[in-house]
Amino acid sequence: MTETTQTQMTPPGGAKPRSPEFRLAADALRGLRQDLFHDAFAYRPLPRMRVDGPLTRRLPAGIRKYAAWTPHAVVAAAGLFAMTVANAATAGSGNIVTLVCALLALLPVLLTLVRPVGAFWFSFAATPVAAVFGDSWSDWPWPTGSFATHLVVLTVVALRTRPRTAAWMWTLTALYGIVAETFFHGGYYIGTNTVPLLFVSAVALLVVTVLHVRRDAQQEVTAHQSETAHERSRRTLLEERTTIARELHDVVAHHMSVVAIQAEAAPYRVENPPPELEQAFVTIRENAVAALTELRRVLGVVRAEDYEAPDAPQPTLADLDALLANVRDAGLTVDKLVTGAVRGLPQGVELSAYRIVQEALSNALRHAPGAAARVEIGYVLGGLGLRIVNGPAPKTSLAKSTHGAGHGITGMRERVTMLDGEMTAGETDDGGYEVAVFLPVPAAEESS
């Protein structure tokens, strides 16, 4: 026989646990206090409208400056409309009464520009005052001017706050109307207008809520797209750096292997080498092997599992003719121009220059198929200059190319930055594209 003991958690101090209904009501009252009572008359000016939209961008600069005040002008116009309605409803009640009712209709609407929640309470307080001054019981408990004012205030405040605040304002409006109709009519009124106000305001607040949801969704999508684009660019940059590290690993590993082999064979090429020379070559070989081992261990992490080191050496500028032949077979007319005295450069520079030309021509094939391109290589004092330019495509294609990730420029810039070079890329005046690169090469590093 098994006995099960069930214990119930109680709050500290032995108080009875609160029911879910009580907690729900407490949360609701806390939300009401936060939305409509806490800092109700805080100064919150209505911000100016952005003028970088598709329509406002086309306006002249002088008009665009004033277009930023459009929301304020709309609110002021709505306040003047409510004041006109109040004037018309109290036209035969005397000048003082008409003036008071007009101000009670205008001021709450204007207050929404600087103190939105306070404007709601002002409209609430002005409604019974306007009813007493107006002495019109045909529209109870909302005089005609107060009806228009409160509807405008509810809409503007809902636009400036959040949907929960709009729901609280609508609920308090309904409670006020029900209480006024039930206990304060005095038997004098002909009809009530709480239901029409609640219906029209509910429609307005529903539209405002939909606009809030749509705006929040757009902001979330925009933020997600921005984050996705940033992550994609970052991933592309890391992949390009990984590719560069793999290639340079192969280049450095080849040279270090050559150093180790030459250091081991050097003593046998000299008759009766002194012990100091033999020891020096032994030290060179040991350091070369140690550096090679460390290099493979550290940079080996950038190799993919299926990566295999190429059998042939990494390409250099001497292999450009084969690259250009392949590009011509793919449909791109390309010419090569070499200026300056051709000389051997460090293999890292040769490899990066080859890859930059390769990527630039690949971009031309993707984005300007059938265009003509030119590759200019300049051997200048202190470095190597590259310029790859292509003209516009012969015909505009409606379908955008889907080949490639669209981040070739990022890879080129990464290679140039690695070598402390300079690079510019952009459209030409005739609609083509140009990539210009300078890779510095100190004179001590140049090989004959």
Side-chain angles (χ1 to χ4, degrees), residues 253-415:
H254 169 72
H255 285 292
M256 294 301 293
S257 299
V258 171
V259 170
I261 294 173
Q262 293 290 338
E264 184 176 9
Y268 299 101
R269 298 182 179 181
V270 180
E271 291 185 8
N272 301 321
E276 295 83 1
L277 181 61
E278 290 184 355
Q279 184 59 40
F281 280 121
V282 169
T283 303
I284 292 173
R285 181 182 181 280
E286 290 177 351
N287 287 332
V289 172
L292 183 59
T293 303
E294 188 69 19
L295 178 68
R296 285 173 176 167
R297 185 178 67 182
V298 174
L299 294 185
V301 297
V302 303
R303 294 184 181 274
E305 294 181 0
D306 57 348
Y307 176 79
E308 295 182 1
D311 295 333
Q314 294 287 357
T316 63
L317 291 176
D319 303 306
L320 268 185
D321 290 336
L323 172 64
L324 299 184
N326 290 334
V327 172
R328 293 188 186 102
D329 293 338
L332 185 69
T333 303
V334 57
D335 297 324
K336 183 179 78 168
L337 175 63
V338 179
T339 58
V342 178
R343 60 187 184 276
L345 301 174
Q347 192 167 358
V349 175
E350 295 258 357
L351 173 61
S352 294
Y354 179 91
R355 295 300 188 199
I356 290 171
V357 174
Q358 184 182 40
E359 185 60 42
L361 294 179
S362 297
N363 286 343
L365 279 172
R366 284 194 296 264
H367 303 294
R374 186 172 66 258
V375 177
E376 299 178 3
I377 304 173
Y379 290 86
V380 296
L381 184 63
L384 177 71
L386 299 173
R387 182 173 178 266
I388 306 95
V389 59
N390 64 270
K395 14 171 127 165
T396 304
S397 175
L398 296 179
K400 186 177 180 181
S401 172
T402 58
H403 298 288
H407 294 280
I409 298 296
T410 302
M412 288 189 275
R413 288 193 186 280
E414 188 65 18
R415 291 181 181 274

Side-chain angles (χ1 to χ4, degrees), residues 18-38:
R18 304 298 187 183
S19 65
E21 292 79 8
F22 179 85
R23 290 196 298 269
L24 184 62
D27 292 340
L29 290 177
R30 193 179 302 112
L32 173 63
R33 185 170 62 251
Q34 180 181 356
D35 291 340
L36 293 182
F37 290 95
H38 181 67

